[in-house]
Amino acid sequence: MPASNTATPAKLREAYRAVQDNIAEAATRSGRQPEDVVLVAVTKYAAMDQVRQLADLGHMDFGESQAQQLQQRVPQLEEYLGRRKTLGNASSKNDTPPDRVRWHMIGHLQRNKVKQTVPLVQLVHSVDSLRLAEELHGYGAKHDLDIDVLLQVNISGEATKTGIVPPAIIHLLEQIDSMMHLRCRGLMTMAPHHDNPEDCRPVFRQLRELFEDCKACEWTTDHFNVLSMGMTHDYEVAIEEGANVVRVGRALFGDAEA
Ligand SMILES: *Cc1c(COP(=O)(O)O)cnc(C)c1O
């Protein structure tokens, strides 16, 4: 669904600045630097023009939740950035679009979509089963690639949420440890919706504690350093609780339902 077509570059710029400011302030409140938190701009409700505009503002990290949309957007943005580079930046003097961007797969990944998806992304946030881990590892082995992944955790135990339940995490890390082409970089979660973002805090705190347990266990290495939690509604609370990656869509691009 494209976002409302009233969205303008000026509005996007303003929204981007506001989100960056909020991230910086939440990072400071949690005793960290603004640059310690990576903003993944979630483009699932954005129009392609908005994605290009955000790249024009210098933004590097983009996230998609559907394999099919990812397959369309990665080459579209690449082509645009390539064109910008050859033609030079005629329109704006201040913002430098990055030479290349990083894409994140943040949604449920079906095993039969691994082949199309892995070559397009830097990080898969949503490993939610041993079978998916094995499929990814098989792809990595076949193409001699090391694939970076996060484990998606279902903290709240809601039946409607995908993800691995906390007691199963350490065992899965042990299994992944023997997969030479899979590198587990950390954990991801989606908090259940609450009207008050403060009510998400316990979920984020639990994921942070689980993250520390995993770091201390024998099946992880120094590469295990990514904690991906927080979306439009709750990213500031997530950062206060230790997130170093937030995935934000509507606060940047507007709400498709609006
Ligand atoms: C859609 C989505 C987001 C972003 O949600 P917003 O509320 O638009 O910020 C983040 N993470 C995942 C996994 C998503 O599917």
Side-chain angles (χ1 to χ4, degrees), residues 43 48 51-52 62 64 66-84 99-103 116-117 119-121:
T43 58
M48 193 57 213
V51 179
R52 296 188 188 100
F62 295 86
E64 261 300 335
Q66 281 186 20
Q68 210 172 338
Q69 191 137 303
L70 195 63
Q71 263 182 290
Q72 294 167 354
R73 295 195 151 182
V74 173
Q76 282 174 349
L77 188 57
E78 204 166 287
E79 193 255 350
Y80 174 73
L81 293 174
R83 202 151 21 99
R84 284 299 298 260
D99 284 347
R100 55 186 302 276
V101 298
R102 300 185 290 212
W103 283 91
Q116 300 103 289
T117 305
L120 303 177
V121 300

Side-chain angles (χ1 to χ4, degrees), residues 42 44-45 65 106-107 188 190 231-233 247-251:
V42 175
K44 70 180 177 214
Y45 298 132
S65 56
I106 62 170
M188 178 273 228
M190 285 173 85
M231 322 197 325
T232 289
H233 184 60
R247 311 174 310 270
V248 176
R250 287 168 299 148

Side-chain angles (χ1 to χ4, degrees), residues 3-251:
S4 63
N5 44 21
T6 56
T8 63
K11 264 191 185 163
L12 179 64
R13 179 189 297 257
E14 201 178 301
Y16 184 46
R17 295 268 151 83
V19 170
Q20 283 180 312
D21 287 350
N22 292 339
I23 288 175
E25 284 164 23
T28 307
R29 284 197 296 277
S30 73
R32 290 177 294 160
Q33 302 296 315
E35 60 270 20
D36 293 338
V37 180
V38 173
L39 168 63
V40 173
V42 175
T43 58
K44 70 180 177 214
Y45 298 132
M48 193 57 213
D49 268 347
Q50 294 180 298
V51 179
R52 296 188 188 100
Q53 284 157 15
L54 194 63
D56 274 341
L57 295 175
H59 193 68
M60 270 194 74
D61 286 276
F62 295 86
E64 261 300 335
S65 56
Q66 281 186 20
Q68 210 172 338
Q69 191 137 303
L70 195 63
Q71 263 182 290
Q72 294 167 354
R73 295 195 151 182
V74 173
Q76 282 174 349
L77 188 57
E78 204 166 287
E79 193 255 350
Y80 174 73
L81 293 174
R83 202 151 21 99
R84 284 299 298 260
K85 209 174 155 189
T86 9
L87 297 180
N89 193 344
S91 54
S92 75
K93 289 112 213 137
N94 300 325
D95 305 309
T96 316
D99 284 347
R100 55 186 302 276
V101 298
R102 300 185 290 212
W103 283 91
H104 301 248
M105 176 57 179
I106 62 170
H108 178 67
L109 178 58
Q110 289 168 283
R111 282 177 295 140
N112 63 4
K113 297 277 166 56
V114 161
K115 227 186 316 186
Q116 300 103 289
T117 305
V118 166
L120 303 177
V121 300
Q122 303 291 305
L123 183 63
V124 175
H125 288 228
S126 45
V127 170
D128 56 4
S129 70
L130 174 61
R131 291 170 78 197
L132 177 58
E134 287 172 339
E135 187 76 27
L136 287 160
H137 178 250
Y139 183 90
K142 188 168 166 195
H143 299 272
D144 197 22
L145 284 175
D146 292 339
I147 302 171
D148 281 344
V149 301
L150 307 179
L151 301 185
Q152 183 171 353
V153 184
N154 182 354
I155 288 283
S156 54
E158 269 184 297
T160 53
K161 288 260 188 295
T162 51
I164 303 152
V165 294
I169 293 288
I170 300 279
H171 183 54
L172 185 54
L173 285 173
E174 179 183 352
Q175 290 168 306
I176 289 176
D177 184 57
S178 66
M179 302 182 194
M180 305 311 290
H181 291 276
L182 214 53
R183 213 162 34 187
C184 190
R185 300 293 314 272
L187 303 179
M188 178 273 228
T189 201
M190 285 173 85
H193 181 82
H194 292 290
D195 288 334
N196 182 353
E198 273 303 319
D199 294 336
C200 301
R201 195 179 289 280
V203 165
F204 295 141
R205 189 163 294 173
Q206 283 173 59
L207 191 71
R208 165 63 187 265
E209 284 166 7
L210 184 60
F211 178 66
E212 299 297 340
D213 292 346
C214 292
K215 268 182 156 172
C217 91
E218 61 187 299
W219 313 113
T220 58
T221 67
D222 291 346
H223 293 299
F224 191 93
N225 57 11
V226 178
L227 188 54
S228 168
M229 55 186 194
M231 322 197 325
T232 289
H233 184 60
D234 51 25
Y235 66 94
E236 293 165 272
V237 175
I239 292 168
E240 287 168 5
E241 293 301 325
N244 55 18
V245 173
V246 292
R247 311 174 310 270
V248 176
R250 287 168 299 148

